[in-house]
Amino acid sequence: MTPLRIGPRERELVAILHPRSAARERRAAALLCPPLGQESVRTHRLMRVLAERLAREGFDVLRFDYFGTGDSPGDDVDADLDGWRIDVARAAEALLQASGPVPTTWIGLRLGATVAMQAVADVTHRPAAVVACDPVLDGARYLKALAADHIATQAASYSLAAWRPPAAPSTDGALDAVGFALSGTLQAQLGGLRWVRTRGPAQTRIVLTGGCTDLDKASVQTTLGATSCVALAEPFDWTSEEALNASLVPGELLAALFAQVLAP
Amino acid sequence: MTVEYTFAFGEHRTLVGTLTMPSTQRPRRFAVLMFNSGVIHRVGPHRINVKAARRFADAGIASMRFDVSGLGDSGSSQGMSSFDRQAVEDLVAAMDEVTARTGIDRFAVHGICSGAVHALAATLEDERIVGLAMQDGFVFTTPRARMRRYLLPLRHEFSRAVRGAMRRLGALARRGPRTRPVVATSAGDGPLGTAGYTPERFAEALDRLSERGTSTLVLYTGSILNLYNYAGQFAERIRLRSTVSRVECVFAPDLDHTLSNRHAQGRMLDLLERWLVGLETGAPQARPSVPPTAVPRPQGTLTRRQAQ
């Protein structure tokens, strides 16, 4: 595991490279695209375990944080979808430099899946497949879900206190979404995000968790023209607090993502 | 403006951390260490460690956030130490790394929840640590706190409180009387997360740190009102005996345990920055007859008026 800082100085990204196991004959690469905000914190362990397993199977794997997220430079309000798309392309370029021109799979979770599917058009060394887990296809609906999650989180965090944090948008126009500030720009981008019968990249493979209520297997497969779609029984609460002992690396989800990356 | 570096460090280069340096001014003489709370990686709950690092850098304070062995991006330890012991050794390794890279050899440590247990253990062992901040770490309850725990919900959820109280009374009646030892509780981790600290032993530890010149900030949030729910609780339970006091307790019911909203994050960063800046200039306070408890007037207090 090698920590890296990639991209130009003004938009550096923190990344972790998992070099492939030398014992494996396979030569391939995988790029992991995290989701937004609390979902990203929540899935950090899942991404690490997935990366380690893939590295043992002969994949060079790169994990990274978009600008304004995770450990990367930038504030919460600096995160926006156009910028993320650039970040995915830069991370893919860094992975290409590490792995050489080998077959590459991109794996994205939630909004990371959506941006990854869009960013395929931006790179010359295109991925052989994109594995999209619970992709966000309706941004406005996603924003509403985040707002509801935020209210639920506050109710749980202040269960005995009469005090509640301010619910109204702040003066800077940012929205408080489970501890992460979404800028007005990002809110507008999400509000306009609606993936309607536009085919995803070639070899799009979908994984839907049991708790993903805003997508159903048939419609998402049709909408994205996906090669395959696996619907899991086990739910995954994307924004729950680790402090509340939520499962971090659900076995069924990990196995499904792994299998989709390895699928021929 | 900040400058950040991300790297592997430690004896076997298995630890991963990010060093944040102020770019426009000479850094202060100490650096802040931030690490995992629970299983959350080094960015902290809701990225608070990243936000804190940049705020501190603006105030001229360097910091490093890192993952202890086996958590976040750090690899497993190759030693035989327990997790708790290894976390302390990792904190020592982090200090060594910061010193090697920057020359700074004094530190403040911020521990949230279970991180407070490791922060205290490291501070007691290593005199390079001149500031210890513990958020929702060691909590010592009192009869008054237990009573208030049942009264608080009455202010806004009367029926739920009655049902809960009846249920507990029923459970108590079925179980019969028993003595309950006073032990520290680490929020979220249960009583085993505190290495068996009693109030007396905790007070002794803080006195030792005060006499050594190390300042301690103890912070309690509104998410643990079931255990800590009034401003004087710390002073009632923790009897400090040192002739000087470098211990400050803040009860902030408008903050929550994981700082899950922007208000809580902003308030926490204000509190920490004020306390850290004071570390460099602060002379020890003469200990008053009652240990000092800084009670801010938060935007949120437990009053019915503000609940409406």
Side-chain angles (χ1 to χ4, degrees), chain A:
Chain A
M1 205 159 28
T2 309
L4 305 169
R5 293 180 79 93
I6 61 177
R9 185 84 185 151
E10 67 279 8
R11 197 178 171 92
E12 259 190 340
L13 309 176
V14 169
I16 302 288
L17 177 69
H18 299 254
R20 70 188 186 89
S21 165
R24 289 284 178 173
E25 283 188 15
R26 183 201 305 271
R27 289 293 309 268
L31 179 68
L32 306 192
C33 303
L36 172 72
Q38 177 61 13
E39 296 179 342
S40 176
V41 175
R42 173 101 172 81
T43 54
H44 183 273
R45 188 75 184 178
L46 173 68
M47 293 291 228
R48 173 180 165 170
V49 173
L50 179 63
E52 289 176 339
R53 284 192 64 175
L54 289 170
R56 286 198 293 272
E57 286 296 320
F59 286 78
D60 286 306
V61 186
L62 190 81
R63 296 185 282 128
F64 72 101
D65 291 325
Y66 312 100
F67 189 74
T69 75
D71 206 31
S72 285
D75 296 330
D76 288 2
V77 291
D78 295 325
D80 78 285
L81 294 183
D82 294 339
W84 282 24
R85 202 166 151 167
I86 295 168
D87 295 340
V88 171
R90 285 190 175 138
E93 177 62 30
L95 176 60
L96 180 64
Q97 285 177 12
S99 68
V102 297
T104 303
T105 303
W106 292 1
I107 302 104
L109 307 182
R110 300 293 279 151
L111 201 53
T114 311
V115 175
M117 290 189 292
Q118 294 171 331
V120 167
D122 304 338
V123 297
T124 49
H125 181 72
R126 297 202 169 181
V130 175
V131 177
C133 180
D134 289 356
V136 175
L137 304 182
D138 183 337
R141 194 169 175 176
Y142 179 61
L143 268 178
K144 281 184 188 165
L146 284 179
D149 287 346
H150 183 75
I151 291 169
T153 300
Q154 302 312 300
S157 294
Y158 296 91
S159 60
L160 285 178
W163 188 86
R164 288 288 183 277
S170 52
T171 51
D172 61 3
L175 177 73
D176 206 341
V178 199
F180 291 85
L182 307 190
S183 68
T185 303
L186 180 56
Q187 292 172 59
Q189 289 170 334
L190 284 171
L193 171 63
R194 189 162 177 79
W195 200 305
V196 183
R197 294 200 179 276
T198 307
R199 291 180 66 85
Q203 281 287 332
T204 301
R205 303 166 188 164
I206 308 295
V207 174
L208 300 181
T209 64
C212 192
T213 54
D214 58 338
L215 296 172
D216 70 81
K217 186 175 174 179
S219 67
V220 74
Q221 192 158 8
T222 307
T223 302
L224 292 171
T227 318
S228 64
C229 185
V230 178
L232 308 180
E234 195 175 355
F236 188 73
D237 184 348
W238 290 97
T239 56
S240 82
E241 299 272 343
E242 282 86 342
L244 301 179
N245 299 319
S247 171
L248 286 176
V249 188
E252 188 187 22
L253 177 56
L254 178 65
L257 292 171
F258 189 67
Q260 290 302 309
V261 177
L262 263 58

Side-chain angles (χ1 to χ4, degrees), chain A residues 1 5 38 44-45 48 63 68 70-74 76 154 157-158 160 163 170 172 174 176 178-179 241, chain B residues 6 18 39 41-42 46-47 51 54 65 70 72-74 153 223 254 256 258 260-263 265 299-300:
Chain A
M1 205 159 28
R5 293 180 79 93
Q38 177 61 13
H44 183 273
R45 188 75 184 178
R48 173 180 165 170
R63 296 185 282 128
D71 206 31
S72 285
D76 288 2
Q154 302 312 300
S157 294
Y158 296 91
L160 285 178
W163 188 86
S170 52
D172 61 3
D176 206 341
V178 199
E241 299 272 343
Chain B
T6 303
T18 295
V39 295
H41 65 296
R42 66 183 176 280
H46 305 104
R47 211 178 174 225
K51 296 164 185 173
R54 289 157 193 178
R65 52 186 183 272
D73 293 324
S74 288
S223 292
D254 58 322
D256 68 314
T258 59
S260 67
N261 60 78
R262 295 176 75 195
H263 166 82
Q265 292 172 11
Q299 291 176 26

